[in-house]
PDB file of all heavy atoms in Angstrom:
ATOM      1  N   THR A 104     -27.079  16.634   6.179  1.00 84.00           N
ATOM      2  CA  THR A 104     -27.865  15.388   6.428  1.00 84.00           C
ATOM      3  C   THR A 104     -29.093  15.375   7.203  1.00 84.00           C
ATOM      4  O   THR A 104     -29.856  14.563   7.322  1.00 84.00           O
ATOM      5  CB  THR A 104     -26.901  14.296   7.113  1.00 84.00           C
ATOM      6  OG1 THR A 104     -26.539  14.791   8.367  1.00 84.00           O
ATOM      7  CG2 THR A 104     -25.762  13.968   6.260  1.00 84.00           C
ATOM      8  N   ARG A 105     -29.443  16.709   7.640  1.00 78.00           N
ATOM      9  CA  ARG A 105     -30.745  16.910   8.303  1.00 78.00           C
ATOM     10  C   ARG A 105     -31.851  16.658   7.587  1.00 78.00           C
ATOM     11  O   ARG A 105     -32.027  17.066   6.355  1.00 78.00           O
ATOM     12  CB  ARG A 105     -30.691  18.378   8.896  1.00 78.00           C
ATOM     13  CG  ARG A 105     -31.712  18.672   9.885  1.00 78.00           C
ATOM     14  CD  ARG A 105     -31.746  20.139  10.320  1.00 78.00           C
ATOM     15  NE  ARG A 105     -30.306  20.433  10.924  1.00 78.00           N
ATOM     16  CZ  ARG A 105     -29.614  21.623  10.721  1.00 78.00           C
ATOM     17  NH1 ARG A 105     -30.088  22.482  10.017  1.00 78.00           N
ATOM     18  NH2 ARG A 105     -28.477  21.667  11.435  1.00 78.00           N
ATOM     19  N   GLN A 106     -32.740  15.815   8.128  1.00 65.00           N
ATOM     20  CA  GLN A 106     -33.963  15.376   7.383  1.00 65.00           C
ATOM     21  C   GLN A 106     -34.824  16.773   7.429  1.00 65.00           C
ATOM     22  O   GLN A 106     -35.123  17.472   8.316  1.00 65.00           O
ATOM     23  CB  GLN A 106     -34.770  14.436   8.171  1.00 65.00           C
ATOM     24  CG  GLN A 106     -33.942  13.087   8.081  1.00 65.00           C
ATOM     25  CD  GLN A 106     -33.794  12.459   6.788  1.00 65.00           C
ATOM     26  OE1 GLN A 106     -34.697  12.626   5.916  1.00 65.00           O
ATOM     27  NE2 GLN A 106     -32.687  11.901   6.521  1.00 65.00           N
ATOM     28  N   PRO A 107     -35.515  16.999   6.160  1.00 62.00           N
ATOM     29  CA  PRO A 107     -36.536  18.157   6.119  1.00 62.00           C
ATOM     30  C   PRO A 107     -37.845  17.961   6.999  1.00 62.00           C
ATOM     31  O   PRO A 107     -38.110  16.895   7.116  1.00 62.00           O
ATOM     32  CB  PRO A 107     -36.906  18.189   4.595  1.00 62.00           C
ATOM     33  CG  PRO A 107     -36.428  16.929   4.059  1.00 62.00           C
ATOM     34  CD  PRO A 107     -35.448  16.336   4.963  1.00 62.00           C
ATOM     35  N   ALA A 108     -38.263  18.947   7.533  1.00 56.00           N
ATOM     36  CA  ALA A 108     -39.471  18.947   8.347  1.00 56.00           C
ATOM     37  C   ALA A 108     -40.605  18.497   7.573  1.00 56.00           C
ATOM     38  O   ALA A 108     -40.842  18.940   6.500  1.00 56.00           O
ATOM     39  CB  ALA A 108     -39.564  20.145   9.147  1.00 56.00           C
ATOM     40  N   LEU A 109     -41.454  17.643   8.173  1.00 54.00           N
ATOM     41  CA  LEU A 109     -42.655  17.314   7.514  1.00 54.00           C
ATOM     42  C   LEU A 109     -43.779  18.341   7.720  1.00 54.00           C
ATOM     43  O   LEU A 109     -43.852  18.740   8.900  1.00 54.00           O
ATOM     44  CB  LEU A 109     -43.119  15.821   7.961  1.00 54.00           C
ATOM     45  CG  LEU A 109     -42.137  14.757   7.591  1.00 54.00           C
ATOM     46  CD1 LEU A 109     -42.615  13.438   8.126  1.00 54.00           C
ATOM     47  CD2 LEU A 109     -42.025  14.551   6.133  1.00 54.00           C
ATOM     48  N   ARG A 110     -44.607  18.591   6.851  1.00 53.00           N
ATOM     49  CA  ARG A 110     -45.624  19.505   7.084  1.00 53.00           C
ATOM     50  C   ARG A 110     -46.897  18.841   7.196  1.00 53.00           C
ATOM     51  O   ARG A 110     -47.393  17.992   6.657  1.00 53.00           O
ATOM     52  CB  ARG A 110     -45.549  20.550   5.989  1.00 53.00           C
ATOM     53  CG  ARG A 110     -44.302  21.388   6.068  1.00 53.00           C
ATOM     54  CD  ARG A 110     -44.437  22.389   4.922  1.00 53.00           C
ATOM     55  NE  ARG A 110     -43.087  23.078   4.911  1.00 53.00           N
ATOM     56  CZ  ARG A 110     -42.846  24.218   4.366  1.00 53.00           C
ATOM     57  NH1 ARG A 110     -43.886  24.913   3.824  1.00 53.00           N
ATOM     58  NH2 ARG A 110     -41.763  24.753   4.425  1.00 53.00           N
TER      59      ARG A 110
END
Side-chain angles (χ1 to χ4, degrees):
T104 58
R105 192 175 300 140
Q106 295 293 327
L109 298 175
R110 295 179 186 203

